[in-house]
Structure formats: structure tokens, C-alpha cells
Amino acid sequence: MISNLIDTQLITRAKQLIEQAQTIVIVTHISPDGDAMGSSLAMRWFLQDLGKQVSVIVPNEFPAFLSWLPGAQDDVIFDKNPDAATALLDAADLVIVTDFQEPKRSGNMADWFVNHQTPNTKHHTPIIMLDHHLYPSDMADVTISYPQCASASELVYRFIHQLAIINIQSSIYNIQYSTCIYTGMMTDTGNFQFNSNNPEMYEIVAELMRAGVNKDECYDKVFNQYHEGRMRLVGYCLHTKMRIFPEHHVALIALSSNELKQFNFRSGDAEGIVNMPLQISTIYYSVFMREDTDKIKLSFRSQGDRPVNTFASDIFNGGGHKNAAGGEHYGTLREAVNLFLDNYEKYCI
Ligand code: 5GP
Ligand code: MN
């Protein structure tokens, strides 16, 4: 049995907003990962099935290894089509945000959200948040935020499951919908390696498989699609670039844009590298940083009861979950490394 995790009042309020809306826009977070894509596309399949006019907007390009997800090709990429995307947002009766909790995470859509989130103002558009990060902002009218869910996709599944109980019915357990949910659950748990001890997750997986999901194929399509440069980049990171700080059980990998260029770096190529140093028995914290076009992007991972999100938020304008967080630094790579060196002893204890 899958329990009814989501508060019934929230489900009822979301139901009203969905029923009142005809044109719905779904937005997910910048640098979309499998869960961002899975949760947003699953919502789209569900709402389309209810007869709504639905668009999904992603802030920027998604990685090639997610392009096979059902519906992904129809996503509007804000940074490529800002005018068309803004027009869609402006025309929406309802906006649903998945897998993020604050306007900043929507990239260049942040201003749109800030301008449209205040209730009872001229520009107000109702917003529903479906998310699993800590500290949701007040950007939504209905905030469905459950950090105990390992993925936003799992939360979307639960949301739709609970809507069905109060009679928002659709024939939604179709293969497209189920594949999107499964892929989000799979990627946000590293193929069920972490945050994956809730038995109900496997009841959901069983339902998705009964709907036709081929989990082995999903794994293959996501994790076995890299190009040669990415594999050599992993080798370079582990062989040459990984620095170990043994007293604090910390590993750091920092890459300049010149280094990335040598490996023909593409969106998604950094995925998973930050987790690798944790395979060393004595490493509990791992930090990965790379030079991006206008900033340094950082990823943080840790094991067990050792939070890394405070390091990310205090020092690198970021945040996230206890064991998986991210941040950014507007400055040079050297500065970001120095900030790390000045602070890791305090945050990694
Ligand atoms: P990743 O390292 O995979 O990019 O991000 C891991 C997690 O950290 C994400 O799921 C997200 O919760 C969080 N995160 C990543 N980048 C940022 C950021 O710039 N700001 C905030 N608040 N959270 C981030
Ligand atoms: Mn997620």
C-alpha cells in the first residue's frame, strides 16, 4: 500500500487550481537533471490526459542523455526562446513548478516568478510547487514540499495517486508517464544507491513496471550514453585532479574551462563525477567545481549525518539537501578553490 503522504488540504487546493485552469505551464530547474525532466514531463502527460493545454519550459538546455524521455523534444528552452517562453508564461492560467523551491533556481525566469508571485496583484498567476528540497520559498500559492521524498518524481506520483482518490481521474498510468516518473526516481537516487530505503518506493516502482516501464532500458538510456571525452574526463579527474584532505575526509576536484575543452565537454558530462571520491572508504565529503561561462559551478556530496548544504549556502550562494548540494561563485576558479581551502575545515568535521 502506498500511504497518503501529502496533506489532503493541499491536494484539495491544488485540485481546484487545476480544475479552474485550461492553459498550464510547467517549469523545472536550471541545468535540468533526470528528476527535473521526469517530474515536469510526467505532470505534463497527466495534465494533457485531463484535456489541458500544457507546455513545459526548462530554463536552459537539458543533457543529451535525457533527450529520449517521452515529450522532452517538445520542451521549450527559455534561454533559446525567451520571448516565446515568456509569452507562454504570461498566457498561463496556472504555473506548476517541479523539483525546485525558489525563483533563483529557474535561471532567467526568476524575475518572472518574482513579479507574478504576489497574490491579489494584477500580474498574479497561481503557482503550485511540487518539490522535495528543504526551505521552500513563498513563491507558490500551494506549496507541496516533502523533503522526505527522494525525488520530485516520486512526489508527483504520490500527488497524482492522491488526486485520483478524490476523483481527478485519468488513464494516466500510461507508459510515457510511468517512464518519466521512473527515470526521475532512478536518477535522484543514483539508481537506488542512496535515499532509497523507503519500501514504498519499490511499491511505486512495481506499479510503474506493471504499466510497462522497462527499467533496464531506462538505465541503459541514461547511464550508458556518454561520449569518449566524458570517460576520459573521468579518468583525468580521478588520476590527476582529485585532491585529498585526509584529516577531514574530504576530496576536491576543480576543473578550468581549458581543461574541459580538452575533453570536448558537453552539458551533462560532469554528472556523477562528484560522487566518485566517496567510493574511497575514508572519504565522507566530496566537492566538485568547474568553470562555467560566467561563473564557477559547485557540487557537494557527503555521507551519513554530515550536512554539506550549509557549506554550499554559507560560502557559495547555494543550498540543497543534507547530502547533495550545489552552489556557485561569481569570480575566478582560483578564488573558488581558495574559498574552499579557507572553509572546508569548518564545514567538514
Ligand atoms: P548537483 O550537484 O547535482 O548540481 O546538485 C545537487 C543538489 O544541490 C540539487 O538537487 C539541488 O538541490 C542543489 N543545488 C544545486 N545547485 C544549487 C544552487 O545553485 N542553489 C541551490 N539553492 N541549490 C542548488
Ligand atoms: Mn530532485
Side-chain angles (χ1 to χ4, degrees):
M1 270 287 287
I2 294 154
S3 61
N4 294 328
L5 175 72
I6 304 170
D7 184 275
T8 316
Q9 277 188 0
L10 293 175
I11 296 281
T12 309
R13 287 171 58 206
K15 178 186 182 224
Q16 279 165 359
L17 290 179
I18 290 171
E19 280 173 343
Q20 286 161 8
Q22 183 48 37
T23 306
I24 302 178
V25 170
I26 302 162
V27 176
T28 193
H29 67 73
I30 191 164
S31 304
D33 56 12
D35 188 34
M37 294 293 287
S39 57
S40 56
L41 289 169
M43 270 315 283
R44 182 173 136 195
W45 286 105
F46 168 67
L47 294 167
Q48 263 179 207
D49 206 57
L50 294 177
K52 310 291 182 186
Q53 174 77 36
V54 195
S55 320
V56 177
I57 305 178
V58 291
N60 57 349
E61 192 109 51
F62 50 82
F65 61 78
L66 297 172
S67 62
W68 63 276
L69 276 171
Q73 298 301 334
D74 297 326
D75 277 9
V76 177
I77 298 169
F78 187 91
D79 285 356
K80 277 191 174 170
N81 287 301
D83 295 342
T86 305
L88 286 170
L89 283 166
D90 287 343
D93 303 323
L94 170 66
V95 174
I96 299 179
V97 302
T98 73
D99 202 24
F100 73 97
Q101 82 293 29
E102 52 176 351
K104 196 183 113 192
R105 297 277 294 150
S106 67
N108 290 325
M109 280 176 273
D111 285 347
W112 189 93
F113 280 106
V114 170
N115 293 331
H116 289 72
Q117 75 188 45
T118 314
N120 306 318
T121 56
K122 196 172 93 193
H123 293 298
H124 180 61
T125 305
I127 298 171
I128 298 174
M129 180 192 294
L130 285 162
D131 183 49
H132 69 135
H133 293 94
L134 294 169
Y135 317 123
S137 73
D138 60 0
M139 70 187 284
D141 300 67
V142 180
T143 303
I144 301 179
S145 168
Y146 286 85
Q148 61 267 57
C149 282
S151 60
S153 299
E154 176 190 328
L155 184 65
V156 166
Y157 181 94
R158 291 174 177 279
F159 176 63
I160 290 169
H161 180 78
Q162 286 187 237
L163 278 178
I165 297 168
I166 54 166
N167 280 327
I168 286 217
Q169 285 288 5
S170 74
S171 55
I172 192 51
Y173 297 103
N174 63 29
I175 179 77
Q176 291 94 339
Y177 165 82
S178 303
T179 300
C180 294
I181 297 279
Y182 179 77
T183 304
M185 291 178 71
M186 173 184 79
T187 50
D188 253 28
T189 57
N191 198 33
F192 304 97
Q193 288 181 80
F194 41 80
N195 288 338
S196 54
N197 278 327
N198 180 356
E200 287 196 7
M201 287 174 63
Y202 301 93
E203 296 185 39
I204 296 173
V205 169
E207 285 300 314
L208 298 171
M209 290 175 70
R210 285 189 195 104
V213 169
N214 182 333
K215 65 182 278 299
D216 299 350
E217 199 176 292
C218 288
Y219 181 92
D220 184 54
K221 283 177 167 169
V222 171
F223 293 112
N224 294 336
Q225 300 301 329
Y226 292 118
H227 64 107
E228 181 184 336
R230 140 81 186 193
M231 297 310 287
R232 297 199 185 279
L233 175 67
V234 170
Y236 176 67
C237 286
L238 298 180
H239 179 270
T240 308
K241 298 297 295 185
M242 182 173 65
R243 290 171 69 180
I244 301 285
F245 303 87
E247 307 81 41
H248 287 260
H249 308 277
V250 182
L252 169 71
I253 297 171
L255 295 169
S256 69
S257 52
N258 273 339
E259 288 172 306
L260 295 169
K261 234 181 264 160
Q262 284 172 39
F263 293 94
N264 194 14
F265 187 83
R266 302 172 196 166
S267 155
D269 281 358
E271 204 66 41
I273 297 179
V274 65
N275 297 95
M276 292 176 183
L278 297 177
Q279 293 179 20
I280 302 170
S281 62
T282 53
I283 296 298
Y284 309 143
Y285 298 91
S286 172
V287 180
F288 175 89
M289 57 176 93
R290 68 179 167 91
E291 223 173 343
D292 206 355
T293 37
D294 58 341
K295 59 175 177 282
I296 310 302
K297 270 208 52 69
L298 294 99
S299 285
F300 299 76
R301 296 292 185 271
S302 64
Q303 286 179 327
D305 201 17
R306 302 176 186 91
V308 271
N309 47 0
T310 42
F311 195 179
S313 61
D314 289 357
I315 309 296
F316 294 103
N317 310 300
H321 312 278
K322 185 172 75 176
N323 295 131
E328 50 200 25
H329 173 72
Y330 286 87
T332 64
L333 183 62
R334 183 185 292 266
E335 282 165 11
V337 170
N338 285 337
L339 276 172
F340 165 87
L341 294 173
D342 290 344
N343 289 286
Y344 79 90
E345 291 173 324
K346 178 171 159 205
Y347 289 97
C348 306
I349 43 175

